[in-house]
Amino acid sequence: MWGLLLALAALAPSVGLGLGAPSASVLGLTPGSTPAPRSSPAQPPGKTNATSEQQIRIRVIKKKKVIVKKRKKLIRPSPPVTAKPMVTTSPTGSPNLPEKQEPGCPPLGLESLRVSDSQFEASSSQSFGLGPHRGRLNIQSGLEDGDLYDGAWCAEQQDTEPWFQVDARNPIRFSGIVTQGRNSVWRYDWVTSYKVQFSNDSRTWWTSRNHSSGMDAVFPANSDPETPVLNLLPEPQVARFIRLLPQTWFQEGAPCLRAEILACPVSDPNDLPPEAHSLGSSDPLDFRHHNYKAMRKLMKEVNEQCPNITRIYSIGKSYQGLKLYVMEMSDQPGEHELGEPEVRYVAGMHGNEALGRELLLLLMQFLCHEFLRGNPRVTRLLTEMRIHLLPSMNPDGYETTYRRGSELVGWAEGRWNHQGIDLNHNFADLNTPLWDAEDDGLVPHVFPNHHVPLPTYYTLPNATVAPETRAVIEWMKRIPFVLSANLHGGELVVSYPFDMTRTPWAARELTPTPDDAVFRWLSTVYAGTNRVMQDTDRRPCHSQDFSLHGNIINGADWHTVPGSMNDFSYLHTNCFEVTVELSCDKFPHENELPQEWENNKDALLTYLEQVRMGIAGVVRDKDTQLGIADAVIAVEGINHDVTTAWGGDYWRLLTPGDYMVTASAEGYHSVTRTCRVTFEEGPVPCNFMLTKTPKQRLRELLAAGVKVPPDLRRRLERLRGQK
Ligand SMILES: [Zn+2]
């Protein structure tokens, strides 16, 4: 997901807000009150609604107001105050980050949308778009103020006793709260302290108290809009309802917050089974988040379990020196077999979008297990294609994210590589030279409509190209990929190229490729087999409802991205690639992984099977029967060609229809034939035999130098004899 984050970055200077830039990634973590033992029994219901005593107290606190934070502090807040001692060593040598925090109980699911809109209530709201259902951790706002999709719950300014309430629907053991301020380009609003109340019936409430003093606990909250702040309750409380009561907030602002509630199921045998139980998957896979070391270990285990169909290789190193590991899966790992397409999944180019990484680690385990079990679908997949899985394109970013943990990492930290480069903007912009050449009428005869060369500036030694990007480009050149998807997170939508708008500087504009039909089909296949995207009742993640258009969108029509990996794949290689935004929550809690796997399992398999769509074949030399490398396959009506691999084999993804296909190669007569793509499973074989041109034969003779063919030699001798 890029979307609003970039808009924020672009707009930030005008409001003096240092968001969006990598500097936001150094924002500190500020856990609140001291965690208490969680073994103590739940406090019995006591106090009722807010008393007049409380009202007075609130007013007094408000009169004091909060000291206005200097804007500098937004960029670099005071060092984190920590409740627990923290380990500051890090395997990658990153700046001192806290070790991964385990808040104990998992999130109730405000961020992941497991908690539905109807479970929220509040004392008041400034507008519908700032209603309590928007008080979800990491929710992103629309650009317009007062629209339907604003970036927090905000109580009315006049509301003297604001509260925000979540109904867990069943008794549950509340253990902690994570809060953020309002996500807005235009305003600063955050809560600086709050109290917490509990209830079983939403009428009688009791307040969380400090252990030692017996006073109502006042939890220190946020000091900027974005950094999540965790407060563990002095004692966990069993209740059905929880209320946050803002006590103080940023001066001139309103009580606005985004929250996640941490809660454990109550282990009462008479209770209905907690919802978490229905979130399972029957696949025996390792449903955990894996940091670099754990990922490497897991990949090794898969390799040991399935040595005949797997191979691990590295395509290079991150800036910090972590290897970019790929798991290759095929019946003949390690070699390109003639006629067998190469497909890939890439995850984690934004290091904080962690779900894709785990899905690929789950996919490799699943393929291995199912192959051993003789699953026919998986066996066929592994015999008819070579699958390459890169779970972590930006391992440096991920390590940062992982150490913060699922609930405390915020929206952007870990997105960039260690140099602060957004890898999805770091590929060469080949769109501009192509479109310039098109405007000048040079395509395809003078300027190619495929394999657009790298611009000179990009190849200079001092070009700002991340090592991760370079590694992926070299990988793309080495292997003749046909199909790919690039896994992201933070939204639920599949976006297809072009990612960059054709009109310079246009923020968004529909910019289809010549292969729009294929890309729309590919995107629809993923969106149509992903369980959450198919849920017609689902609410939008943030500020756009992609379900209105089948959960797919042209990338440029969403938000322009120059230098994206999708556009580069399409314009520099034969590979067709789309972006899958897998979930609203970029870093779902571990206990959501089984469900996320089930949501995506079929989609991940079905998408790869689309490599069967279209035509494929081998282009050969008619005399020698040898395959011709780099022959060009052109389809009439589609201004984008593909080329053959070293063995002369090619794949041309196409939707059903009749096509005039021309194969041409340097030194050969071109051949055109009709190929019909049907709805039946393909690919449809469409082979070519090319004959050398006389000119080429002569050229080869000359190149051979002394080796003049015998008949010609005899003729020459005869001529000499006549003299
Ligand atoms: Zn992303």
Side-chain angles (χ1 to χ4, degrees), residues 1-2 350 353 415 488-489 581:
M1 154 98 196
W2 42 82
H350 291 147
E353 294 165 17
R415 173 189 179 91
H488 287 245
E581 300 283 351

Side-chain angles (χ1 to χ4, degrees), residues 19 25-26 92 129 224 230 280 293 365 390 609 691:
L19 282 176
S25 71
V26 297
T92 57
D224 68 61
L230 166 69
K293 278 184 182 168
Q365 296 171 64
L390 172 59
E609 287 164 349
T691 336

Side-chain angles (χ1 to χ4, degrees), residues 279-281 287 362 590-599:
L279 296 177
S281 164
F287 294 108
L362 291 165
E590 214 142 76
N591 74 357
E592 311 233 11
L593 292 177
Q595 180 63 54
E596 290 296 355
W597 166 246
E598 289 299 322
N599 292 340

Side-chain angles (χ1 to χ4, degrees), residues 308-334:
N308 298 330
I309 55 154
T310 60
R311 183 176 73 106
I312 301 170
Y313 63 93
S314 160
I315 58 167
K317 282 182 178 176
S318 70
Y319 187 83
Q320 297 259 76
L322 302 184
K323 285 185 178 167
L324 307 179
Y325 287 113
V326 175
M327 177 65 83
E328 180 194 326
M329 304 190 80
S330 177
D331 58 341
Q332 299 281 340

Side-chain angles (χ1 to χ4, degrees), residues 1-3 348-353 415 422 424 486-490 558 579-581 586:
M1 154 98 196
W2 42 82
M349 75 189 303
H350 291 147
N352 60 334
E353 294 165 17
R415 173 189 179 91
D422 186 326
N424 203 32
N486 161 20
L487 307 182
H488 287 245
W558 181 13
T579 289
V580 182
E581 300 283 351
K586 288 181 174 179

